[in-house]
Amino acid sequence: MSMVAFISPFVNDPFALVCQAYKNLYDKPFTAFFDQHEDDDHKEEYGFTHFVEGEIPQIVIFAEHSINVCVETFAHELAHVAVGVEHEHDEIWNAAFDAIFTEYNRLGEELYGKEEGAGDE
Ligand SMILES: [Zn+2]
């Protein structure tokens, strides 16, 4: 697959910020896609990560939700990438999710100051 690196047109792209938070903490590669619910597959989900042995994990985010929900879903899925599929939603996964969220807020404050921050308060 050819990979084109897009530069976000937004100066405060929360997906880019979550991605940077992840990369500051973990180094496992991933790809991420937006998708739409076109059939009943994954109907109840905000997103998921497709793990195949020996391949780079693929994160899918369902795009019809709000950006806030999609960003949180992205962080959720990145925590799965960070700790591996076998941890599901155990305490190891939860620690990774918290670490990404904390780093996201730290970066947000560093870049935009406390007022605008990450907007999750
Ligand atoms: Zn999950």
Side-chain angles (χ1 to χ4, degrees):
M1 186 192 344
S2 79
M3 295 296 293
V4 178
F6 295 100
I7 296 169
S8 175
F10 294 94
V11 296
N12 60 345
D13 185 334
F15 296 100
L17 200 58
V18 168
C19 186
Q20 189 60 54
Y22 168 82
K23 286 180 174 175
N24 287 357
L25 299 168
Y26 305 100
D27 63 359
K28 293 184 189 168
F30 65 92
T31 56
F33 298 87
F34 286 115
D35 205 351
Q36 309 285 340
H37 284 107
E38 284 172 3
D39 51 39
D40 285 346
D41 282 359
H42 305 286
K43 196 177 182 181
E44 304 299 322
E45 297 177 359
Y46 294 117
F48 63 95
T49 302
H50 186 58
F51 286 95
V52 175
E53 186 74 39
E55 292 181 14
I56 293 173
Q58 293 187 336
I59 294 173
V60 174
I61 304 293
F62 289 114
E64 67 267 40
H65 303 289
S66 75
I67 288 173
N68 287 347
V69 168
C70 287
V71 167
E72 185 172 342
T73 304
F74 186 38
H76 178 115
E77 300 307 331
L78 283 171
H80 282 304
V81 172
V83 301
V85 64
E86 66 276 12
H87 285 286
E88 297 187 355
H89 300 116
D90 68 6
E91 66 280 2
I92 305 283
W93 173 87
N94 209 52
F97 181 72
D98 285 349
I100 292 167
F101 185 66
T102 299
E103 178 65 3
Y104 172 85
N105 284 327
R106 192 192 67 76
L107 283 174
E109 285 179 18
E110 191 178 295
L111 289 170
Y112 313 120
K114 268 204 184 297
E115 289 304 297
E116 292 179 85
D120 277 74
E121 275 91 39

